[in-house]
């Protein structure tokens, strides 16, 4: 049995963003090198959607994470750690028959040939999520529902759940979707590229990397990506060191962009599902920051959190993308997937800089704790 025919969010909703997905215990290497050569690992947590929830909660928003974990110590650790960021984990379900997923990774950048990841998530508790066993009333209780393509890759049931949650229905919350193409996770014979394109086209707000769009869909360039995704009101194309290009036709600045009950003023989201047919796009290119990178993990999730945070606050598109860059810079300058974001007034000052000053910024480790004027927040 699938979920309800309509969302349940209303004007009294107490949640800004609900994030659904698998979170795992992550084992981080004590030193660079092959997994075979690393002598010990430190324990952390990892999961695209829970990363977004933690970052939003740390930034002062009301965020919830919905998922399934095993009835084991790793499940305890995940729920307790995510909750420690201020995230509502009350809708997380425990599975007595399946374990919590774990993975090991090397210290190198995910984009390099030397990066290794060893997943132990097959048959995990999260892979058993389906339309029949997740709490739809909790998923639809926020202003935004944030999903990612990773969940669709976990199992046939998880894919059915993503399809059901992105279906057009009255009162649906605004659906934010991060493509997160991870070809190694997909089952043999599964048409991952077409599935991700299908899900993205049913969302209201889409995050996609220029590199992953080329890898998954053979599409090159931001304009071509937007042409392939005409329905979403907003498409954010992440272009690495070149920054981000935002195509926006429906999510206008201001509080009415996220009307209580599910973005009723956002290009028909909620009542008619995805669709950015309110008029021609505005196209905004926002350059990336110069960052002294410590570890290139978790930046995409942090960018999504920063963009969503600024959108919830009704900021203009340029500031939304800049807050995405700033949140990503916070994570890039620490070893793990999560860190405390800059204080809101600090981030607002930086996001409001003129283009020349923005281009001069160079952010290094410890920059989020700086209590200085914007022009001083850079390393030598």
């Amino acid at each position: 049995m699938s979920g309800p025919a309509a969302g349940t969010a209303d004007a009294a909703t107490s949640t800004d963003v609900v994030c659904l997905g698998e979170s795992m215990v992550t084992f981080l290497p004590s030193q660079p090198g092959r997994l075979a050569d690393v002598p010990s690992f430190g324990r952390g947590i990892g999961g695209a959607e829970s990363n977004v929830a933690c970052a939003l909660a740390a930034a002062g928003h009301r965020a919830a994470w919905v998922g399934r974990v095993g009835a084991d110590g790793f499940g305890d650790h995940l729920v307790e750690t995510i909750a420690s960021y201020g995230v509502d984990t009350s809708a997380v379900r425990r599975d007595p028959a399946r374990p919590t997923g774990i993975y090991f990774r090397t210290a190198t950048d995910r984009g390099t040939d030397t990066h290794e990841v060893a997943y132990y998530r097959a048959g995990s508790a999260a892979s058993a999520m389906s339309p029949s066993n997740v709490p739809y009333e909790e998923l639809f209780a926020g202003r935004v529902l944030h999903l990612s393509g990773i969940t669709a890759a976990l199992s046939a049931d998880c894919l059915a759940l993503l399809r059901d949650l992105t279906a057009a229905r009255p009162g649906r919350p605004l659906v934010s979707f991060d493509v997160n193409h991870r070809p190694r996770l997909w089952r043999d014979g599964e048409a991952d590229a077409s599935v991700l394109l299908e899900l993205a086209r049913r969302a209201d707000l889409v995050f996609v990397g220029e590199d992953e769009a080329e890898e998954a869909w053979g599409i090159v360039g931001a304009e071509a990506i937007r042409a392939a995704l005409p329905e979403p009101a907003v498409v954010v194309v992440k272009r690495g060191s070149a920054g981000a290009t935002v195509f926006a036709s429906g999510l206008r600045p201001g509080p009415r962009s996220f009307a209580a009950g599910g973005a009723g003023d956002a290009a028909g989201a909620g009542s008619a599902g995805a669709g950015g047919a309110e008029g021609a796009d505005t196209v905004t290119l926002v350059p990336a920051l110069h960052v002294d990178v410590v570890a290139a993990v978790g930046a995409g999730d942090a960018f999504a959190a920063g963009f969503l945070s600024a959108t919830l606050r009704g900021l203009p598109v340029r500031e939304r993308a800049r807050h995405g860059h700033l949140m990503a810079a916070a994570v890039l300058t620490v070893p793990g997937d999560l860190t405390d974001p800059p204080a809101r007034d600090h981030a607002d000052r930086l996001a409001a800089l003129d283009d020349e000053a923005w281009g001069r910024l160079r952010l290094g480790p410890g920059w989020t704790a700086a209590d200085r004027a914007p022009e001083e927040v850079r390393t030598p």
Side-chain angles (χ1 to χ4, degrees), residues 178-370:
D178 194 333
V179 171
N180 264 329
H181 182 227
R182 299 287 187 269
R184 289 178 55 190
L185 295 181
W186 286 85
R187 301 161 296 283
D188 291 342
E190 194 84 69
D192 58 322
S194 61
V195 167
L196 292 174
L197 188 62
E198 169 201 343
L199 294 173
R201 292 183 66 175
R202 293 156 67 115
D204 304 299
L205 166 60
V206 174
F207 300 97
V208 59
E210 199 169 38
D211 55 347
E212 64 184 348
E214 182 174 2
E215 180 183 26
W217 305 324
I219 298 172
V220 179
E223 291 77 13
I225 293 170
R226 176 50 160 168
L229 298 170
E231 295 89 352
V234 174
V235 174
V236 183
V237 180
K238 299 174 291 182
R239 305 175 62 202
S241 61
T245 300
V246 184
F247 299 88
S249 64
L251 274 81
R252 296 187 293 273
R256 283 176 57 80
S257 292
F258 282 83
D265 192 40
S271 60
E278 283 195 2
D281 275 339
T282 60
V283 182
T284 307
L285 173 60
V286 181
L289 290 159
H290 301 288
V291 179
D292 295 335
V293 176
V294 172
V297 292
D301 305 330
F303 181 95
F307 192 95
L308 284 169
S309 172
T311 305
L312 285 161
R313 296 169 58 203
L315 300 183
V317 169
R318 186 189 73 159
E319 277 65 34
R320 298 181 195 191
R322 283 190 170 187
H323 276 276
H325 286 316
L326 289 165
M327 196 83 86
V331 169
L332 288 170
T333 50
V334 299
D337 290 22
L338 290 168
T339 189
D340 289 333
R344 181 172 290 185
D345 60 346
H346 183 193
D348 283 344
R349 291 199 308 270
L350 296 181
L353 291 173
D354 61 38
D355 290 343
E356 183 179 355
W358 176 263
R360 289 198 307 267
L361 284 178
R362 187 180 184 96
L363 306 179
W367 76 268
T368 59

Side-chain angles (χ1 to χ4, degrees), residues 9-26:
D10 58 29
T13 183
S14 61
T15 305
D16 292 323
V17 181
V18 178
C19 303
L20 167 81
E22 179 171 35
S23 190
M24 296 176 291
V25 172
T26 311

Side-chain angles (χ1 to χ4, degrees), residues 104-121:
F104 297 77
R105 67 168 174 83
T106 54
T108 51
D109 185 350
R110 182 182 287 128
T112 68
D113 292 337
T114 58
H115 183 71
E116 298 175 70
V117 179
Y119 288 111
Y120 298 89
R121 71 197 305 179

Side-chain angles (χ1 to χ4, degrees), residues 6-90:
T8 58
D10 58 29
T13 183
S14 61
T15 305
D16 292 323
V17 181
V18 178
C19 303
L20 167 81
E22 179 171 35
S23 190
M24 296 176 291
V25 172
T26 311
F27 289 94
L28 309 173
S30 59
Q31 65 185 44
R34 302 184 310 155
L35 287 178
D37 300 328
V38 175
S40 61
F41 296 81
R43 185 179 66 175
I45 67 169
E49 302 84 3
S50 60
N51 285 348
V52 171
C54 289
L56 284 166
H61 295 284
R62 299 161 299 183
W65 173 61
V66 177
R68 288 176 72 86
V69 299
D72 50 34
F74 286 148
D76 294 342
H77 175 65
L78 278 175
V79 174
E80 291 167 6
T81 303
I82 292 169
S84 73
Y85 281 83
V87 176
D88 180 356
T89 59
S90 61

